[in-house]
Amino acid sequence: MGKRRSRSQSQLLNSLTKKQKKHLRDFGEEHPFYDRVSRKEAKPQTCQLSESLDTSSSESEAESEPEQVSGYNRLLATLKDVSKEDEEEEEEEDSVIDETEMNLEDGDSDISVEEETAVTSTDVQKNAALPADPKGKDGHGPPGTSEESPEEFTDAKHESLFSLETNFLEEEREGSCSLKALQDPFAQHVNKELKEKEIQAVATNPKTTHQLKWPILGQLVFSSRFQQLETFKPPKDIDLKSLHLQKPLESTWIKTNSQFLSGPPNSSSPFTPLQKELFLIMNSYRDLFYPERTALKNGEEIRHVYCLHVINHILKANAQVLANNSRCRSQKLGVGDDDDFRDQGLTRPKVLIVVPFREAVLRVVQLFISLLEGDSKKKIIVSNKKRFNGEYGSDPEERPPNLKRPEDYEAVFVGNIDDHFRTGVAILQRSIRLYAPFYSSDILIASPLGLRTIIGGEGEKKRDFDFLSSIELLIIDQADIYLMQNWEHVLHLMNHMNLLPLDSHGVDFSRVRMWSLNNWSKYYRQTLLFGALQDAQINSVFNKYCVNVQGQVAVRNVPMTGCISHVLVQLPHVFQRMEAENLASVIDARFNFFVNKILPQYRDAVMSHTLIYVPSYFDFVRLRNYFKKEDLNFTHICEYTQKSGVSRARHFFLQGEKQFLLLTERFHFYKRYTIKGIRNLIFYELPTYPHFYSEVCNMLQATTRGEEAAWTCTVLYSKYDAQRLAAVVGVERAAQMLQSKKNVHLFITGER
């Protein structure tokens, strides 16, 4: 019985909050507010007292004890007025009890009790934990709601540890002092003041542009919708101290980036030539569009440099908030008394990184840890790391060993390629919190699909996009892949960026910057856009949604040769030009041109084994319906076709049982199958990726039966396909083809 009682008492003690434990220690019993009442309702008993007795007793009590305070009021005072010394004593006395609770709650966390207490300031007050996000993908659905399920992942223990409102800087660091320096690009950017007239003139002002040529990036176009347009050229030598990096990045960056440096790592050459020019633009807080980012060549190199910019921005922004917290506490000033304390946005998330696959999230977070940790012996605190590695990592055995694909395919589809995810990251000093609730996060990392399910559509009840209201840095990496996923999700995201929130979310408006209160956040948001190609849809997003006050920089290099030089087979290429009145009529003009002029040439049985390559899925559906209506002998393969259907279609086409094969570009992007039996090739539209042109043309050599002389290749294009045409045939030849309205015949000998 004694053991059972002690066990039940320990369980009861562990279930108490700190205030309940303190009350139990001081008074020897629990507070009446927390009494455990049985479910059986006791019958009320009534008694009647005489009026004389009631009045006399009350009068006598008032006369005898006029100044006595009731015990109930004393109990309430213990809950309301708790001194800081009592709280510190409470934390010290309960540390032994809390240690077992923390270890049980965080079985998958990498935080030890000693490390956590070392980071936490003695002045941090333990606030009530915020409600967890509702059940959804990756442990959190639309942020800002208070629904909770028993299986919902909660991390309430780290709310106060990573709270910007309750933490302080005990000492003024050099990093916080550097924020006041006029040379610091971060301070210059966030402290820049715009006038109402300038904002109103943005819509009517023509965009001013200026071109410069840099050694590595090549042709740059500086542009701005504001009156002043400033340009600069990269210096020959660069020093880390001149970049105003926040500690500890000056020391950790050299080690983190050492794999890309040819010589021994040192502070005089901490960047590769490409990284140096990219970071100079990033650190100036200009918008950047770089369309030459490839997973096979410079993808990781670019990821390293934009992660450096992200961590530098977050550390400076949080250091400014913590320093102002300390100033407010030391000076005992009301926060609203001085505009110098305005250092925040309407919501906490400051950075949004959009990536296509979970593998990219894993690499980004690993870079964050490396940049904060470096070569120091003391490891940083990373909460929920074990769970993160399990959900975002991959098993090498899942990939078939005999799968042979091109090198660029292997580089893109490496690791975990799930495209539905979102997660929050909170960073405070030398600690990182993974799976932080969105409104307690500094950095959001998500895919377009993961954000689309949160933002929702018009008319949906459960939707939230307030967390996008104060994004100061937007990074869209591998933008070309979103063209293969769903570009509408990207447009939907951009339409909801930097809107005024519908809820306050507990913000202290006296600390919010004025340009954020004025709904001018989009003019202070820096957008970094990285992709592998020049595309009209990507250019449209950069030109329409990037209105940074610092200006925009776009890399505009033109291809000189074109990927047609990589075609290895002897093949005549016929480029058929079609005319369209405007961009909106191109789709119908292409369909009518194909049906009336191209398709009749291939209806003859002699022109069998014809592959029709269709980049757009909507065009594919339109052609498929037309072929069914005309009862043509054809088969089709798209990204939604099941594996058995793909095998049947490839077999029928190879054996000649089906004359036509409709193939979508997205299927080729995700599968890269070699289609055998092609004799005639039709590009309904120029491919999105230029190298797909040479890949599909080289499929003709997969089955050679002495029919090479009869091979044909026909390409449809218009004047609105200038970028794709230049990427295929080269800029000089494309200019000649666009000026001339005649069809162009090219013959590739295959000697390359």
Side-chain angles (χ1 to χ4, degrees):
M1 291 293 293
K3 292 184 178 180
R4 290 183 180 178
R5 287 181 180 177
S6 61
R7 184 176 302 174
S8 62
Q9 288 176 0
S10 63
Q11 292 178 356
L12 178 61
L13 186 62
N14 292 336
S15 63
L16 298 179
T17 63
K18 292 187 177 181
K19 288 186 177 180
Q20 290 174 332
K21 292 175 186 177
K22 186 178 188 308
H23 190 278
L24 181 63
R25 185 174 63 250
D26 295 341
F27 295 93
E29 61 179 2
E30 293 187 63
H31 194 280
F33 180 81
Y34 301 102
D35 284 347
R36 292 165 177 78
V37 184
S38 61
R39 295 184 178 179
K40 296 182 180 180
E41 297 182 357
K43 296 182 179 180
Q45 299 180 358
T46 58
C47 59
Q48 296 180 353
L49 300 176
S50 61
E51 295 180 359
S52 61
L53 179 61
D54 191 11
T55 55
S56 62
S57 61
S58 62
E59 290 175 358
S60 62
E61 288 177 2
E63 293 175 358
S64 61
E65 298 179 357
E67 298 178 356
Q68 184 177 2
V69 181
S70 66
Y72 179 72
N73 291 333
R74 288 200 303 269
L75 291 177
L76 288 180
T78 61
L79 294 180
K80 294 181 180 179
D81 302 324
V82 181
S83 64
K84 295 184 179 179
E85 297 178 357
D86 292 340
E87 287 184 353
E88 293 177 0
E89 293 176 0
E90 175 187 349
E91 292 177 2
E92 293 175 359
E93 293 178 7
D94 294 338
S95 61
V96 179
I97 299 175
D98 292 341
E99 182 175 356
T100 56
E101 295 176 1
M102 292 165 64
N103 293 335
L104 289 175
E105 288 176 3
D106 248 0
D108 59 347
S109 177
D110 295 345
I111 302 181
S112 64
V113 180
E114 293 144 4
E115 288 176 328
E116 184 172 344
T117 54
V119 173
T120 309
S121 173
T122 56
D123 295 315
V124 176
Q125 301 179 3
K126 304 296 183 182
N127 295 338
L130 297 178
D133 294 328
K135 186 176 181 180
K137 187 78 174 175
D138 299 339
H140 44 275
T145 55
S146 58
E147 296 180 7
E148 214 170 334
S149 63
E151 300 178 357
E152 180 64 27
F153 176 78
T154 58
D155 193 20
K157 180 170 68 68
H158 300 116
E159 284 296 328
S160 60
L161 176 65
F162 289 90
S163 175
L164 290 178
E165 289 78 10
T166 58
N167 283 275
F168 307 93
L169 285 180
E170 292 298 331
E171 298 178 358
E172 283 289 324
R173 299 186 177 183
E174 294 180 6
S176 61
C177 296
S178 65
L179 296 178
K180 304 176 184 178
L182 297 177
Q183 295 82 8
D184 189 357
F186 171 81
Q188 290 178 348
H189 180 63
V190 298
N191 295 332
K192 188 179 182 65
E193 295 183 1
L194 289 176
K195 298 180 180 179
E196 185 73 26
K197 295 180 180 180
E198 294 178 308
I199 298 298
Q200 295 176 355
V202 169
T204 57
N205 284 344
K207 181 182 289 188
T208 57
T209 60
H210 184 76
Q211 294 188 6
L212 283 178
K213 188 172 183 179
W214 283 23
I216 304 300
L217 293 179
Q219 197 70 28
L220 301 185
V221 178
F222 288 78
S223 61
S224 177
R225 293 188 179 276
F226 293 86
Q227 293 182 355
Q228 296 182 352
L229 175 62
E230 298 180 359
T231 62
F232 67 99
K233 291 185 178 181
K236 294 182 179 180
D237 298 326
I238 188 171
D239 188 13
L240 283 178
K241 295 182 179 179
S242 63
L243 298 177
H244 301 275
L245 294 180
Q246 191 81 350
K247 288 186 176 181
L249 297 180
E250 290 186 8
S251 58
T252 59
W253 168 250
I254 298 176
K255 181 182 178 181
T256 304
N257 197 48
S258 60
Q259 58 179 310
F260 302 108
L261 303 177
S262 57
N266 54 68
S267 59
S268 60
S269 59
F271 298 95
T272 65
L274 175 62
Q275 288 177 335
K276 182 185 75 171
E277 296 187 3
L278 287 176
F279 189 76
L280 286 174
I281 298 176
M282 294 179 189
N283 205 31
S284 67
Y285 281 91
R286 290 174 171 85
D287 296 330
L288 172 64
F289 175 37
Y290 182 71
E292 300 176 10
R293 185 249 191 242
T294 58
L296 193 59
K297 294 177 60 178
N298 55 13
E300 290 304 311
E301 193 178 347
I302 293 174
R303 181 179 285 123
H304 274 64
V305 74
Y306 76 63
C307 284
L308 171 66
H309 183 54
V310 167
I311 295 296
N312 189 39
H313 181 84
I314 292 298
L315 291 180
K316 287 182 179 180
N318 288 350
Q320 187 180 28
V321 175
L322 298 181
N324 286 339
N325 290 347
S326 301
R327 290 172 57 197
C328 292
R329 183 183 60 173
S330 61
Q331 299 177 9
K332 297 181 180 180
L333 293 176
V335 178
D337 297 338
D338 194 347
D339 284 343
D340 292 341
F341 293 104
R342 295 190 179 273
D343 49 18
Q344 304 174 19
L346 291 168
T347 52
R348 180 170 174 177
K350 308 173 190 65
V351 178
L352 173 61
I353 304 177
V354 183
V355 290
F357 304 120
R358 285 179 180 258
E359 175 67 20
V361 184
L362 182 66
R363 298 187 181 187
V364 166
V365 172
Q366 288 174 348
L367 283 175
F368 289 166
I369 297 173
S370 178
L371 287 170
L372 291 176
E373 193 172 76
D375 55 354
S376 60
K377 296 181 180 179
K378 186 177 180 181
K379 301 295 182 181
I380 66 171
I381 300 174
V382 182
S383 63
N384 314 316
K385 186 177 180 181
K386 184 177 179 181
R387 179 196 173 200
F388 176 80
N389 291 332
E391 293 187 1
Y392 286 84
S394 61
D395 187 2
E397 298 180 356
E398 295 179 357
R399 193 174 186 85
N402 57 349
L403 188 65
K404 294 182 179 180
R405 292 292 183 269
E407 292 182 353
D408 65 299
Y409 179 91
E410 298 288 350
V412 171
F413 296 99
V414 64
N416 192 335
I417 58 172
D418 179 36
D419 63 349
H420 189 184
F421 57 88
R422 54 186 177 267
T423 187
V425 180
I427 297 177
L428 199 62
Q429 297 179 10
R430 291 186 57 82
S431 52
I432 297 179
R433 179 189 181 190
L434 305 177
Y435 293 101
F438 270 23
Y439 290 99
S440 300
S441 303
D442 296 303
I443 304 171
L444 307 178
I445 312 175
S447 65
L449 178 59
L451 291 172
R452 180 64 174 83
T453 54
I454 290 182
I455 297 173
E458 205 158 330
E460 296 182 13
K461 293 183 178 179
K462 293 184 178 180
R463 56 179 313 207
D464 188 7
F465 46 86
D466 288 354
F467 56 89
L468 300 173
S469 61
S470 299
I471 295 296
E472 301 169 0
L473 177 57
L474 171 63
I475 298 176
I476 303 178
D477 197 9
Q478 296 176 274
D480 53 287
I481 296 182
Y482 310 137
L483 296 172
M484 299 292 108
Q485 293 178 345
N486 194 334
W487 188 251
E488 291 296 327
H489 295 339
V490 178
L491 299 179
H492 194 71
L493 167 65
M494 300 305 296
N495 287 327
H496 289 82
M497 289 294 301
N498 298 112
L499 301 178
L500 285 176
L502 303 179
D503 191 11
S504 63
H505 301 284
V507 65
D508 183 2
F509 288 98
S510 62
R511 297 286 295 272
V512 179
R513 296 187 180 97
M514 290 305 301
W515 49 261
S516 186
L517 293 174
N518 292 334
N519 196 20
W520 295 348
S521 297
K522 64 179 179 180
Y523 301 109
Y524 289 83
R525 185 193 74 231
Q526 182 187 23
T527 305
L528 305 178
L529 192 57
F530 301 100
L533 49 90
Q534 295 269 9
D535 188 84
Q537 298 181 80
I538 302 177
N539 290 334
S540 175
V541 167
F542 186 75
N543 295 330
K544 181 178 179 181
Y545 296 100
C546 297
V547 288
N548 189 352
V549 64
Q550 303 292 350
Q552 294 76 40
V553 180
V555 179
R556 301 295 187 190
N557 295 321
V558 293
M560 301 306 296
T561 56
C563 67
I564 197 172
S565 60
H566 299 150
V567 177
L568 304 177
V569 298
Q570 295 185 1
L571 181 67
H573 302 259
V574 179
F575 289 82
Q576 298 273 2
R577 174 166 177 162
M578 60 175 190
E579 299 298 333
E581 295 181 358
N582 49 53
L583 185 60
S585 63
V586 170
I587 297 176
D588 294 332
R590 179 179 288 108
F591 177 77
N592 295 329
F593 184 84
F594 174 80
V595 169
N596 298 326
K597 295 189 177 182
I598 303 299
L599 189 59
Q601 303 174 17
Y602 292 86
R603 283 179 177 266
D604 196 338
V606 178
M607 304 295 291
S608 61
H609 297 271
T610 300
L611 173 68
I612 305 176
Y613 182 91
V614 188
S616 172
Y617 179 76
F618 301 105
D619 291 334
F620 166 80
V621 173
R622 189 174 187 180
L623 289 175
R624 184 188 61 186
N625 295 340
Y626 178 80
F627 276 39
K628 287 182 179 180
K629 180 181 177 181
E630 295 294 323
D631 198 19
L632 296 176
N633 184 21
F634 82 104
T635 184
H636 57 85
I637 299 176
C638 70
E639 56 272 21
Y640 303 110
T641 306
Q642 296 182 357
K643 192 172 183 179
S644 58
V646 174
S647 300
R648 286 195 302 269
R650 295 175 66 187
H651 174 73
F652 292 153
F653 184 72
L654 175 61
Q655 299 300 325
E657 299 180 22
K658 300 294 182 180
Q659 183 178 357
F660 296 97
L661 172 61
L662 295 178
L663 181 72
T664 62
E665 185 176 63
R666 291 176 67 185
F667 176 83
H668 181 68
F669 174 79
Y670 283 105
K671 300 298 182 182
R672 298 290 184 91
Y673 288 173
T674 299
I675 307 298
K676 297 181 179 180
I678 305 175
R679 299 179 188 174
N680 304 290
L681 184 58
I682 300 177
F683 285 93
Y684 186 79
E685 184 182 1
L686 285 163
T688 304
Y689 287 91
H691 64 277
F692 283 1
Y693 184 87
S694 57
E695 281 187 13
V696 176
C697 289
N698 290 332
M699 288 182 186
L700 276 73
Q701 64 182 356
T703 53
T704 55
R705 300 176 181 176
E707 300 150 345
E708 292 84 351
W711 288 347
T712 64
C713 177
T714 304
V715 184
L716 278 66
Y717 76 98
S718 68
K719 63 180 180 180
Y720 299 103
D721 299 324
Q723 287 182 332
R724 295 188 180 186
L725 185 63
V728 171
V729 302
V731 62
E732 294 182 359
R733 186 175 291 169
Q736 297 175 0
M737 294 169 62
L738 293 174
Q739 291 177 0
S740 175
K741 295 186 178 181
K742 298 180 180 179
N743 298 330
V744 179
H745 298 257
L746 301 176
F747 184 77
I748 305 301
T749 61
E751 297 177 358
R752 295 286 174 270

